[in-house]
Amino acid sequence: MSRVFNFSAGPAALPQAVLEQAQAEMLDWNGSGMSVMEMSHRGKEFMSIAAEAEADLRELMAIPDNYKVLFLQGGASSQFAMIPMNLLGEKKGADYINTGAWSKKAIAEAKRYCDVNIAATTEGTSFSSTPTQAELNLSADAAYVHYTPNETIGGVEFPYIPETGDAPLIADMSSTILSRPIDVSRYGMIYAGAQKNIGPAGLTIAIIRDDLIGDALESTPSMFRYATHVDNDSMYNTPPTYGWYLAGLVFKWLKGLGGLEAMAGINQAKAQLLYDAVDGSDFYANPVEKESRSWMNVPFTLANPDLDAEFLKGAQEVGLMTLKGHRSVGGMRASIYNAMPREGVERLVEYMQEFESKNG
Amino acid sequence: MSRVFNFSAGPAALPQAVLEQAQAEMLDWNGSGMSVMEMSHRGKEFMSIAAEAEADLRELMAIPDNYKVLFLQGGASSQFAMIPMNLLGEKKGADYINTGAWSKKAIAEAKRYCDVNIAATTEGTSFSSTPTQAELNLSADAAYVHYTPNETIGGVEFPYIPETGDAPLIADMSSTILSRPIDVSRYGMIYAGAQKNIGPAGLTIAIIRDDLIGDALESTPSMFRYATHVDNDSMYNTPPTYGWYLAGLVFKWLKGLGGLEAMAGINQAKAQLLYDAVDGSDFYANPVEKESRSWMNVPFTLANPDLDAEFLKGAQEVGLMTLKGHRSVGGMRASIYNAMPREGVERLVEYMQEFESKNG
């Protein structure tokens, strides 16, 4: 089979140009006679790959100098514990905004370590909206405020950056990082599993403001201390070298496309195309309020769920893969990260219209 | 440059046949139209890859049914904390055998969580030996006994499996797993970072006896609980899918070579070739007592360390790479894991003899 359009929420499609370069270099990187995955992480070849990837990410995101960039393992699920273990300091509690499945996981894990104040929740509307700034009940003494700017499962996205006063704002950007420019200086820390918009699974990126790196809870393992990784340039132990390299290739690819301003334009247009198709039909529906709709994850339902299986089968036959919605919400979900070309969304919209005309 | 012989201690050389297959499948695995690293970990394609890798590992190592096999992230350094956090139970202390740099790291981390009894140490002989069974001072009430069967830096290896009575034996096999058959039933748990003898960095394998999976210390993060990963077949969160796939290719390659009995013969012969070259010369030396010499990591020194840089430069010129010894011990180190062909060791021995004849 030729390459398909893969709408997986993560691990997700990677740019074909990146895969082709990785393929070409698989047995011999840059005349070294070895694969990147065979290189000592302390050798000059890999050190140059690692440094260049970080420099390119800093440039793409305009990361200020007082932020460290860490290349870690363990996914966002590890960060859910690392954040309270490292950032509580003398405080006893933290604020969490609950806008969906991933917020809830972060909250559940934080409760092992601190008092969690739910500053706002949209669970009452089945997570089909985001709270406004005025709706946030922030604590006076929170160690930090945590939120999920884009909920991968619900397809709901904050249209603004919350104001949190003196409490640093911590964001799980797994499914929105690199989709558009963001003002890093508004955050205390940003983190993201790579497997959606950065690279392969097994790499996690954390961008953390200098002054937040310090004393962890006594019980914190060395590998769960940000200071461990900061002090060792993310090489306290062997990092996920191949993922780091692939992330670097993705960063170069993004720079080649014009950086994050350009990606924002492309991504917004792709999302609009799909939401217009959904909204222009009574056959399809998306439950999320318009101002909080995700550019990256577009869930939609068929008016008649008995047709779901047939929709998915027909989609696969024309190379539109992994459209099944998350088991917790059903229906369909099209994840359209940076690596999904506009052509893939166009093909999906065509297929949706054909399917409706046959079955509507 | 053509492919070199890469003696890196880890990340280390991978079998060329494995890299070639990964290269061929990079953009399209088995007609799926996508790379393995783009696949949802919950889709049927990746689930089949994951299950087959585990089945092949179980067959290769003859892992009994009452052991779970986990595919994790975080390296041995994460296990150093996970082991006491998960295995202490009601006990307050554990026994550790200290035979080198990696033993010491495991001990330092365990001290965060329990009383560590050093059952034996060879630090007095600069880690050039292993303690005998009679030299082990095991506690009556240790939760477990931890040791490092092969020390990657010192190149020292246990010639026997310690008897530990009722206390389960826990082994960091990062640099010796799959080098020969082992009797898994003698262990409570075996763990290994993949980047030496299994696959790429970022994957960690743990093989743990059923009855040891249970209550963790209260402060243990979800991701650091073995029960979390056992209950979710190593898919509590997104696993390092590409590493898992590559490990599976390595397991198939090992089966094709005849399994671990065959590898033991090949590895012992490769190591003997190199030790004979070292021992047969006054120009080179290896400090480790003969019965405790590693088959996988062969450190050696030049009688005149002023020649070290020239030795390394000349080696690189003939495609013998990453021979520099660890910064803590100096000299040279040739890591000759499964993926190092006998030809690589032969070429190294030839080069050593030539270098001696010019400079000896």
Side-chain angles (χ1 to χ4, degrees):
Chain A
M1 181 182 265
S2 57
R3 293 271 299 167
V4 296
F5 292 110
N6 173 17
F7 295 91
S8 176
L14 285 163
Q16 184 161 332
V18 165
L19 291 173
E20 284 168 353
Q21 183 170 348
Q23 182 178 47
E25 296 175 343
M26 178 61 88
L27 279 90
D28 181 6
W29 181 81
N30 203 22
S32 66
M34 47 179 106
S35 179
V36 172
M37 67 179 85
E38 300 177 297
M39 291 176 180
S40 169
H41 55 299
R42 303 199 189 277
K44 68 179 188 323
E45 291 89 354
F46 185 76
M47 295 289 276
S48 76
I49 290 169
E52 195 163 326
E54 180 179 335
D56 284 336
L57 180 62
R58 284 185 174 277
E59 184 184 332
L60 275 170
M61 294 183 66
I63 299 172
D65 288 346
N66 62 324
Y67 286 74
K68 301 291 186 194
V69 176
L70 301 177
F71 292 78
L72 306 173
Q73 299 186 54
S77 295
S78 293
Q79 296 303 313
F80 296 163
M82 288 173 75
I83 288 161
M85 292 179 105
N86 284 274
L87 303 186
L88 275 174
E90 302 296 307
K91 304 282 181 73
K92 296 286 173 224
D95 287 349
Y96 279 73
I97 304 174
N98 179 16
T99 52
W102 290 101
S103 299
K104 286 170 80 167
K105 288 198 180 195
I107 289 164
E109 189 73 4
K111 284 181 175 171
R112 287 191 194 279
Y113 306 102
C114 66
D115 299 328
V116 170
N117 169 52
I118 305 297
T121 177
T122 55
E123 192 152 16
T125 64
S126 300
F127 299 123
S128 62
S129 61
T130 51
T132 64
Q133 176 73 44
E135 289 168 340
L136 302 180
N137 293 306
L138 301 175
S139 313
D141 59 347
Y144 57 86
V145 181
H146 181 279
Y147 84 126
T148 312
N150 183 86
E151 282 279 357
T152 319
I153 293 175
V156 62
E157 188 170 289
F158 275 77
Y160 69 99
I161 302 177
E163 278 290 349
T164 58
D166 288 339
L169 179 61
I170 315 294
D172 176 358
M173 290 206 181
S174 294
S175 52
T176 187
I177 194 168
L178 299 176
S179 67
R180 77 205 74 183
I182 53 152
D183 182 354
V184 175
S185 73
R186 298 281 300 278
Y187 294 88
M189 180 182 150
I190 289 165
Y191 64 99
Q195 70 275 10
K196 298 169 190 296
N197 227 357
I198 296 173
L203 172 70
T204 309
I205 287 182
I207 302 166
I208 181 167
R209 210 173 64 207
D210 270 353
D211 62 291
L212 298 177
I213 302 153
D215 289 343
L217 301 184
E218 180 140 350
S219 60
T220 310
S222 297
M223 284 289 289
F224 264 39
R225 292 170 183 248
Y226 293 125
T228 299
H229 301 290
V230 167
D231 292 347
N232 292 279
D233 295 327
S234 303
M235 295 200 192
Y236 171 70
N237 71 337
T238 314
T241 50
Y242 199 66
W244 196 330
Y245 151 76
L246 284 164
L249 296 186
V250 170
F251 302 154
K252 287 263 186 261
W253 175 79
L254 290 170
K255 285 174 70 176
L257 289 177
L260 301 190
E261 283 286 357
M263 292 315 299
I266 294 167
N267 286 324
Q268 188 173 26
K270 282 183 338 198
Q272 197 59 51
L273 192 63
L274 190 45
Y275 285 117
D276 283 349
V278 169
D279 292 341
S281 151
D282 293 330
F283 192 80
Y284 301 106
N286 170 289
V288 181
E289 63 175 12
K290 288 198 177 171
E291 61 272 28
S292 300
R293 283 177 167 179
S294 169
W295 291 4
M296 296 282 104
N297 311 100
V298 182
F300 60 93
T301 51
L302 277 57
N304 178 3
D306 292 344
L307 292 173
D308 282 3
E310 195 179 328
F311 181 93
L312 288 166
K313 186 164 174 286
Q316 282 189 29
E317 284 166 8
V318 296
L320 304 170
M321 314 302 277
T322 334
L323 281 162
K324 192 174 183 180
H326 191 270
R327 58 195 182 281
S328 65
V329 296
M332 309 297 150
R333 175 177 48 173
S335 293
I336 50 174
Y337 301 115
N338 286 339
M340 173 60 63
R342 183 180 170 91
E343 188 197 346
V345 181
E346 289 169 349
R347 290 268 296 275
L348 172 59
V349 167
E350 281 165 32
Y351 171 72
M352 289 167 68
Q353 289 166 346
E354 283 167 28
F355 188 84
E356 179 179 356
S357 68
K358 275 188 218 158
N359 299 279
Chain B
M1 180 181 266
S2 56
R3 294 271 299 167
V4 296
F5 292 109
N6 172 18
F7 295 91
S8 176
L14 285 163
Q16 184 161 332
V18 165
L19 292 173
E20 284 168 352
Q21 183 171 348
Q23 181 178 48
E25 296 175 342
M26 177 60 88
L27 279 90
D28 182 6
W29 181 81
N30 203 22
S32 66
M34 48 179 104
S35 179
V36 172
M37 67 179 86
E38 300 177 297
M39 290 175 182
S40 168
H41 55 299
R42 303 199 190 278
K44 68 179 190 320
E45 291 89 354
F46 185 76
M47 295 289 276
S48 77
I49 289 169
E52 195 163 328
E54 180 178 334
D56 284 337
L57 180 62
R58 284 185 175 277
E59 183 184 333
L60 274 170
M61 293 183 68
I63 298 171
D65 288 345
N66 63 323
Y67 286 74
K68 301 290 186 194
V69 176
L70 301 176
F71 291 79
L72 306 172
Q73 299 186 54
S77 294
S78 293
Q79 296 305 312
F80 296 163
M82 287 173 76
I83 288 161
M85 291 179 105
N86 284 274
L87 304 186
L88 275 173
E90 302 295 308
K91 304 281 180 75
K92 295 287 174 222
D95 287 349
Y96 279 73
I97 304 173
N98 180 15
T99 52
W102 289 101
S103 299
K104 286 169 81 167
K105 289 199 179 194
I107 290 164
E109 189 73 3
K111 284 181 176 172
R112 287 190 194 279
Y113 305 103
C114 66
D115 299 328
V116 170
N117 170 51
I118 305 296
T121 177
T122 55
E123 192 152 16
T125 64
S126 300
F127 300 123
S128 62
S129 60
T130 52
T132 63
Q133 176 73 43
E135 288 168 341
L136 303 179
N137 292 306
L138 302 174
S139 312
D141 58 347
Y144 58 85
V145 180
H146 180 279
Y147 84 126
T148 312
N150 183 86
E151 283 278 357
T152 320
I153 294 175
V156 62
E157 188 170 289
F158 275 76
Y160 70 101
I161 301 176
E163 279 291 348
T164 58
D166 288 340
L169 179 61
I170 314 294
D172 176 359
M173 290 207 181
S174 295
S175 51
T176 187
I177 194 168
L178 299 177
S179 68
R180 76 204 77 183
I182 54 153
D183 182 353
V184 174
S185 72
R186 297 280 301 275
Y187 294 88
M189 181 183 150
I190 289 165
Y191 65 99
Q195 70 274 12
K196 298 170 189 295
N197 227 357
I198 296 174
L203 172 70
T204 309
I205 287 182
I207 302 166
I208 181 167
R209 210 174 63 207
D210 270 353
D211 62 291
L212 298 176
I213 302 153
D215 289 342
L217 301 183
E218 181 142 350
S219 60
T220 310
S222 297
M223 283 289 288
F224 264 38
R225 293 171 183 247
Y226 293 125
T228 299
H229 301 290
V230 167
D231 292 347
N232 292 280
D233 296 327
S234 303
M235 294 199 191
Y236 172 70
N237 72 337
T238 314
T241 50
Y242 199 66
W244 195 330
Y245 151 76
L246 283 165
L249 296 186
V250 169
F251 302 154
K252 287 263 187 259
W253 176 78
L254 289 170
K255 285 174 69 176
L257 289 177
L260 301 191
E261 283 286 357
M263 293 315 299
I266 294 167
N267 286 324
Q268 188 172 25
K270 283 183 338 198
Q272 197 59 51
L273 192 64
L274 189 45
Y275 285 118
D276 283 350
V278 169
D279 291 341
S281 150
D282 293 331
F283 191 80
Y284 301 106
N286 169 288
V288 181
E289 62 176 12
K290 288 197 177 173
E291 61 272 29
S292 301
R293 282 176 168 180
S294 169
W295 290 4
M296 295 284 104
N297 311 99
V298 182
F300 60 92
T301 52
L302 276 58
N304 178 3
D306 292 345
L307 293 173
D308 283 2
E310 196 179 328
F311 180 92
L312 288 166
K313 186 164 172 288
Q316 282 188 29
E317 285 166 7
V318 296
L320 304 170
M321 314 302 277
T322 334
L323 281 163
K324 192 174 182 179
H326 190 271
R327 58 195 183 281
S328 66
V329 296
M332 308 298 150
R333 175 177 48 173
S335 292
I336 50 175
Y337 301 115
N338 286 339
M340 174 59 64
R342 183 181 171 91
E343 187 195 346
V345 180
E346 288 169 350
R347 290 267 295 275
L348 173 59
V349 167
E350 280 165 31
Y351 171 71
M352 289 167 68
Q353 289 166 346
E354 283 167 28
F355 189 83
E356 179 180 355
S357 68
K358 277 189 216 155
N359 298 279

